[in-house]
Amino acid sequence: MKIFKFGGASVKDAESVKNVSMVLKSQGFAKCLLVISAMGKTTNELEKVVELYFKKENYQTEIETIKQKHIEISKGLFPENHPVFAEINLFFDDIDSFLRRNKSPNYNFVYDQVVSCGEMISTKIVSEYLNEIQFTNQWLDARDYVKTDNSYREGVVDWTKTEEFISHLSSETCYVTQGFIGSDDNNFTVTLGREGSDYSAAIFAYCLNAEAMTIWKDVPGVMTGDPRKFKDVSLLSNISYEEAIEMAYYGASVIHPKTLQPLQQKNIPFYVKSFVDPVKEGTKVGFSEKNQNEESYILKEGQTLLKISTRDFSFIAEDHMSLIFGYLSKNKIKVSLMQNSAISLALCLEDKFGNINELNDELQKVFKTEVIKNVSLFTVRNAKIDNIDKFYHQKNVLLEQISKNTLQMVTQ
């Protein structure tokens, strides 16, 4: 069984969906499971619906706009009387119906029920199109297979239940299913974190003992830096799981951070390839004598620098650290970089849920704090330490850390 994951950019319009079929033709459409994201920027658009709903503003117009986009895409793929159009209408009717009936004030719960519909609609369209052109497949609702707790927007996978359900799938059938979503014990939808479709593909790969997993991107593979942010970057054709995990953790957007560990546990080769040129080799992640350790650059923007010190100039001790990290966990804020001295602690933080002000209010009851928002974390992996001066040029460095082969700096 092979697992193929296609992101939003690869199914953004009718021509892109047709290109997916060409990619599959080049790879051989047999014994595979496709994990597909929402089309184009649909997730962002559905997030806007949720925002408007909680502001008590007109969200119905936004729903209608999103629906019409999907109908237009489908007109480029199907005859006008095809059943898929009724399916699309039904999905959007369900969103509207849910929001009209909903009594829950829990933003994250409502978010998951609404935003997940992007994946449901896109996979239905792609599955129907592939069947239409004789790429026979079965559409699956991922929520019947990926089981989680009820941590809405950041679901924790119940691996025992998930593996039990997924293991019943036939290795002789081709499937199309959703990324990014699962369900809790009450069968409410739970998303796995933003950009979580790669992780979904890894979950299916792990549970099916897949031969390989490939994610299809609009770049040639894993590069030594994002070509939109850095000049003179090159393709990494072979890297280890460990190197890929480090790069993902530090913010390399081409790989979701949670994707690699399930694959590494079962030594499942992982490929990052281009849907623009699918015959090119791309990047292979796994065990290999060819693995590279090239100097690589990662820029993680939209971070927050939090400086904490004790009010009485006493040491930042273990009980202080325990209290601070308890607050971080409570507010679902992740640490990208930390540095401590005797009387202070500096944290570069990723605040996905906008809780930094609440965290700061709690900390100020005990500590002195300083918050600097909208900073960037710049990381150089496999840095040539004897030639790092060039990285400081024209940068306002607020915090830096250098280890054996990694340079990191927080800049403003």
Side-chain angles (χ1 to χ4, degrees):
M1 200 82 172
K2 293 179 181 177
I3 310 297
F4 295 143
K5 182 263 173 174
F6 290 92
S10 62
V11 290
K12 66 182 179 182
D13 52 32
E15 288 307 310
S16 300
V17 173
K18 291 175 182 177
N19 185 63
V20 167
S21 70
M22 299 306 295
V23 171
L24 294 172
K25 190 173 182 181
S26 75
Q27 302 298 304
F29 190 68
K31 294 186 178 181
C32 66
L33 182 143
L34 312 187
V35 173
I36 297 175
S37 300
M39 292 179 152
K41 299 296 183 182
T42 302
T43 300
N44 294 350
E45 292 158 2
L46 288 168
E47 286 177 335
K48 186 178 176 184
V49 169
V50 178
E51 288 173 18
L52 290 170
Y53 169 77
F54 275 97
K55 290 177 181 176
K56 296 185 168 30
E57 295 178 10
N58 178 15
Y59 60 84
Q60 286 93 345
T61 302
E62 186 70 19
I63 293 175
E64 184 63 25
T65 301
I66 303 167
K67 180 172 85 169
Q68 290 305 319
K69 282 185 182 179
H70 285 80
I71 287 173
E72 285 303 311
I73 291 171
S74 299
K75 283 179 178 177
L77 300 170
F78 303 98
E80 62 182 26
N81 61 346
H82 195 280
V84 76
F85 293 101
E87 293 267 14
I88 293 169
N89 282 312
L90 190 59
F91 277 123
F92 284 99
D93 287 346
D94 282 347
I95 296 174
D96 188 46
S97 175
F98 166 75
L99 290 174
R100 280 189 284 105
R101 294 191 327 268
N102 174 62
K103 302 296 183 198
S104 174
N106 184 338
Y107 186 97
N108 294 336
F109 168 76
V110 174
Y111 177 101
D112 279 4
Q113 311 319 302
V114 172
V115 172
S116 58
C117 292
E119 273 70 18
M120 302 299 291
I121 298 159
S122 68
T123 52
K124 182 60 73 171
I125 291 171
V126 173
S127 174
E128 291 285 356
Y129 174 71
L130 293 176
N131 278 324
E132 190 85 354
I133 62 170
Q134 308 306 311
F135 280 164
T136 305
N137 70 90
Q138 181 179 331
W139 182 83
L140 297 180
D141 187 334
R143 297 171 298 185
D144 294 335
Y145 297 89
V146 179
K147 307 306 289 185
T148 72
D149 67 358
N150 61 356
S151 301
Y152 299 109
R153 293 183 70 187
E154 200 78 38
V156 177
V157 174
D158 183 327
W159 284 94
T160 302
K161 288 181 181 177
T162 299
E163 192 164 13
E164 178 188 345
F165 290 130
I166 292 178
S167 64
H168 292 144
L169 295 176
S170 168
S171 61
E172 301 301 315
T173 304
C174 290
Y175 300 99
V176 174
T177 194
Q178 307 79 38
F180 178 55
I181 64 174
S183 68
D184 62 18
D185 287 342
N186 293 314
N187 291 320
F188 287 119
T189 306
V190 181
T191 63
L192 305 178
R194 202 66 161 81
E195 310 294 341
S197 292
D198 292 359
Y199 184 37
S200 295
I203 292 166
F204 278 98
Y206 177 91
C207 296
L208 290 168
N209 296 307
E211 175 187 328
M213 172 180 148
T214 305
I215 58 173
W216 297 93
K217 310 282 286 188
D218 56 358
V219 292
V222 179
M223 313 290 286
T224 54
D226 186 336
R228 294 166 296 187
K229 298 175 181 176
F230 299 100
K231 296 178 181 177
D232 303 321
V233 295
S234 58
L235 178 71
L236 294 165
S237 55
N238 290 270
I239 55 176
S240 66
Y241 292 115
E242 291 83 357
E243 183 67 16
I245 288 168
E246 292 283 354
M247 291 177 71
Y249 177 78
Y250 291 130
S253 59
V254 73
I255 304 170
H256 188 274
K258 294 181 181 177
T259 302
L260 291 146
Q261 289 178 339
L263 303 176
Q264 183 183 27
Q265 285 184 37
K266 290 194 174 179
N267 192 20
I268 297 170
F270 171 47
Y271 297 90
V272 181
K273 301 178 79 170
S274 169
F275 60 74
V276 179
D277 199 348
V279 295
K280 288 198 172 177
E281 290 187 5
T283 300
K284 179 184 178 183
V285 179
F287 297 112
S288 171
E289 294 178 359
K290 299 178 182 178
N291 282 343
Q292 300 159 277
N293 289 295
E294 301 292 326
E295 190 170 80
S296 302
Y297 319 106
I298 304 158
L299 187 65
K300 199 172 186 179
E301 297 171 306
Q303 303 285 288
T304 299
L305 181 62
L306 175 63
K307 297 181 178 180
I308 305 168
S309 58
T310 54
R311 292 187 179 278
D312 59 359
F313 298 103
S314 61
F315 293 156
I316 293 278
E318 286 78 6
D319 56 341
H320 295 133
M321 298 285 272
S322 176
L323 182 65
I324 292 165
F325 276 84
Y327 286 144
L328 287 166
S329 177
K330 175 185 172 184
N331 287 284
K332 296 185 176 181
I333 295 175
K334 295 186 177 179
V335 178
S336 301
L337 180 69
M338 66 177 287
Q339 190 174 90
N340 68 298
S341 68
I343 58 172
S344 68
L345 176 67
L347 301 170
C348 181
L349 302 172
E350 183 174 8
D351 178 27
K352 287 184 185 177
F353 301 103
N355 294 334
I356 193 70
N357 292 336
E358 287 84 347
L359 170 69
N360 191 44
D361 288 345
E362 289 182 305
L363 289 173
Q364 283 188 333
K365 295 172 184 175
V366 184
F367 305 98
K368 289 195 297 184
T369 67
E370 180 186 358
V371 175
I372 306 171
K373 296 183 179 180
N374 294 318
V375 299
S376 296
L377 175 62
F378 175 51
T379 302
V380 184
R381 286 285 299 162
N382 304 304
K384 298 176 177 65
I385 300 298
D386 56 351
N387 187 29
I388 62 172
D389 290 348
K390 59 184 178 181
F391 297 121
Y392 291 85
H393 183 61
Q394 293 185 333
K395 287 188 177 74
N396 178 21
V397 179
L398 306 176
L399 184 71
E400 65 177 315
Q401 202 167 91
I402 303 173
S403 65
K404 182 179 178 182
N405 65 348
T406 301
L407 164 67
Q408 292 189 282
M409 56 177 76
V410 177
T411 62
Q412 197 174 34

